[in-house]
Amino acid sequence: MPAESDCTEMLDSETKAVETPEDHAEELRLWLRLLTCTTLIEGEVRGRLRQRFDVTLPRFDLMAQLDKAPDGMTLSDVSKRMMVSNGNVTGLVERLVESGHLDRRTSETDRRVQVIRLTKLGRAEFRKMAAEHETWIADLFADLSPKDVRELMRLLAKTKASAQKSAARRRS
Amino acid sequence: MPAESDCTEMLDSETKAVETPEDHAEELRLWLRLLTCTTLIEGEVRGRLRQRFDVTLPRFDLMAQLDKAPDGMTLSDVSKRMMVSNGNVTGLVERLVESGHLDRRTSETDRRVQVIRLTKLGRAEFRKMAAEHETWIADLFADLSPKDVRELMRLLAKTKASAQKSAARRRS
DNA sequence: CCGAATTGCTTTAAGCATAAAATGTTTTCC
DNA sequence: GGAAAACATTTTATGCTTAAAGCAATTCGG
């Protein structure tokens, strides 16, 4: 048995007598800060999309996914990529088909599958929005140096991997 | 006129003839990664809160705010702290009062103001949830070294400041 | 004082989001 | 071939979220 658990150990959850509840306040503060940053930027982007283009963020996100897939995507693909529930996509697509931005058809080889893609209108509108959107993001991150950006990218990649591992751990 | 704008310049938005549209792909990628991380972790926390305590994340967040304010808070305070709309808080509070977790009363000095605080039940339940929640967060960030955590904190602070500045710039 | 902002909150209408159950389709595997 | 499992999507029930409009109480400027 290790004298001191100096870092992360699986043992904690398996050895019975863990006396020190351990202090995870730093991680908690980090999580709250991460959340604050995201909420702040997301709210800003949402507001600008609404003001300038009268479009919602989820609609924009969905169109962004489709813009990268000229041959279309299935609803499941979209759902995975956007990390939202299946049912959510159904409604979102419904409204975007309604407004003429999306085209939806049943796959010919598998009648369970719906393939959606941007219409000409949808693509044109998205491109316009995306160009402006990119400048907003650049402005929101304007005070970060290129080095900061690189470093953040690296640390967030590490964070993502860590979280995915933890999520997988739970599911198993 | 500077020969080359080698970094961020206000000039860009003021001098008419900016030929190069500039490449902000890095910032865009950073934003997407930030969003992915947050969504991933948030979804995980949401799921665990639901499974273990049958509580939603917004409810938990609201209780967390109140736990830090033994004398209670006004709805506006809560709304600002949580960075959500006023109307949102109204409904959340309604349901939490209903379930006996919150106590709400009209301020005696200003009858527009509603002061809410945790009930004994609310506080007890929150403390139980918070303790477990902290271990989840620790686990989700487990692969980050203490140095990584510090560095991320620093960079996110910088990011937050930058975004706030940009948001203020727009509002003015 | 008193009308005009301002403030704090609620309501409304629309849309977003989830989990879980239901529906129809295709595979799998005896 | 045919039951059972797996799959893609939709439906259902509930709750969250926003922007904008509305209401009541307070404060401000003349």
Side-chain angles (χ1 to χ4, degrees):
Chain A
M1 193 189 225
E4 300 278 342
S5 76
D6 56 75
C7 204
T8 50
E9 310 268 317
M10 287 239 162
L11 295 173
D12 291 355
S13 52
E14 302 188 321
T15 47
K16 269 289 169 49
V18 175
E19 302 299 341
T20 56
E22 305 202 27
D23 182 34
H24 298 308
E26 284 312 302
E27 283 90 344
L28 199 50
R29 272 161 40 82
L30 174 57
W31 164 233
L32 293 179
R33 189 165 292 183
L34 186 61
L35 191 54
T36 299
C37 272
T38 302
T39 304
L40 182 61
I41 297 171
E42 193 173 327
E44 197 60 23
V45 170
R46 184 197 313 284
R48 297 189 198 198
L49 278 174
R50 170 171 197 70
Q51 274 203 347
R52 283 283 292 130
F53 302 110
D54 193 32
V55 78
T56 65
L57 186 50
R59 275 169 157 89
F60 179 79
D61 285 343
L62 177 39
M63 292 171 84
Q65 291 302 325
L66 289 177
D67 187 56
K68 291 186 286 191
D71 295 343
M73 300 173 77
T74 69
L75 297 200
S76 291
D77 286 346
V78 172
S79 159
K80 267 171 221 139
R81 288 288 191 94
M82 292 181 72
M83 302 200 288
V84 299
S85 65
N86 278 342
N88 189 357
V89 174
T90 298
L92 217 41
V93 168
E94 223 162 54
R95 286 181 288 268
L96 278 165
V97 169
E98 172 68 24
S99 63
H101 293 87
L102 257 56
D103 171 75
R104 147 200 242 151
R105 62 186 59 173
T106 302
S107 161
E108 288 175 11
T109 60
D110 185 340
R111 276 181 309 186
R112 289 171 302 182
V113 175
Q114 302 286 320
V115 177
I116 55 174
R117 63 192 71 191
L118 287 174
T119 60
K120 202 167 284 183
L121 169 73
R123 189 169 302 275
E125 296 218 339
F126 173 73
R127 291 283 167 86
K128 231 186 316 176
M129 296 191 286
E132 203 159 319
H133 173 263
E134 189 168 319
T135 69
W136 300 338
I137 299 301
D139 191 60
L140 284 159
F141 286 90
D143 286 356
L144 299 194
S145 71
K147 186 182 162 200
D148 289 337
V149 173
R150 275 197 307 277
E151 192 62 3
L152 253 180
M153 283 289 277
R154 186 182 70 80
L155 289 168
L156 289 175
K158 204 166 171 180
T159 302
K160 179 178 167 189
S162 177
Q164 277 174 333
K165 221 166 96 180
S166 170
R169 208 151 44 224
R170 178 171 75 111
R171 280 194 302 274
S172 66
Chain B
M1 194 188 224
E4 300 280 341
S5 76
D6 56 76
C7 204
T8 49
E9 311 267 317
M10 285 240 163
L11 295 173
D12 290 357
S13 52
E14 302 187 323
T15 48
K16 268 290 171 51
V18 175
E19 301 298 341
T20 56
E22 305 202 25
D23 183 31
H24 299 307
E26 286 311 304
E27 284 89 343
L28 200 50
R29 273 162 38 84
L30 174 56
W31 164 232
L32 293 179
R33 188 164 293 184
L34 185 60
L35 191 55
T36 300
C37 272
T38 301
T39 305
L40 182 60
I41 297 171
E42 193 174 328
E44 197 59 26
V45 170
R46 185 197 312 283
R48 296 189 198 200
L49 278 175
R50 169 173 198 70
Q51 274 202 347
R52 284 282 293 129
F53 302 110
D54 193 32
V55 78
T56 65
L57 186 51
R59 274 168 157 89
F60 178 79
D61 284 344
L62 177 39
M63 292 172 84
Q65 291 303 325
L66 289 177
D67 187 56
K68 290 186 287 192
D71 296 343
M73 299 174 79
T74 69
L75 296 202
S76 291
D77 287 346
V78 172
S79 159
K80 267 171 221 139
R81 288 287 192 94
M82 292 181 72
M83 302 200 287
V84 299
S85 66
N86 278 343
N88 189 356
V89 174
T90 298
L92 264 175
V93 167
E94 223 161 54
R95 287 181 287 268
L96 278 166
V97 168
E98 173 68 24
S99 63
H101 293 87
L102 257 57
D103 171 76
R104 150 200 241 149
R105 63 187 58 173
T106 302
S107 161
E108 288 174 11
T109 60
D110 185 339
R111 277 179 307 185
R112 288 171 304 182
V113 175
Q114 303 285 319
V115 178
I116 54 174
R117 63 192 71 191
L118 287 174
T119 60
K120 202 168 285 183
L121 169 72
R123 191 170 300 274
E125 296 219 339
F126 173 73
R127 291 283 167 85
K128 229 185 319 176
M129 295 191 286
E132 204 158 319
H133 174 262
E134 190 169 318
T135 69
W136 300 338
I137 299 301
D139 192 60
L140 283 159
F141 286 91
D143 286 356
L144 299 194
S145 71
K147 187 181 161 201
D148 288 338
V149 173
R150 274 197 308 277
E151 191 63 3
L152 253 181
M153 283 288 278
R154 186 182 72 77
L155 289 167
L156 289 174
K158 204 166 172 179
T159 302
K160 179 178 167 189
S162 177
Q164 278 174 332
K165 221 166 96 180
S166 171
R169 206 151 46 224
R170 179 172 74 112
R171 279 194 303 275
S172 65

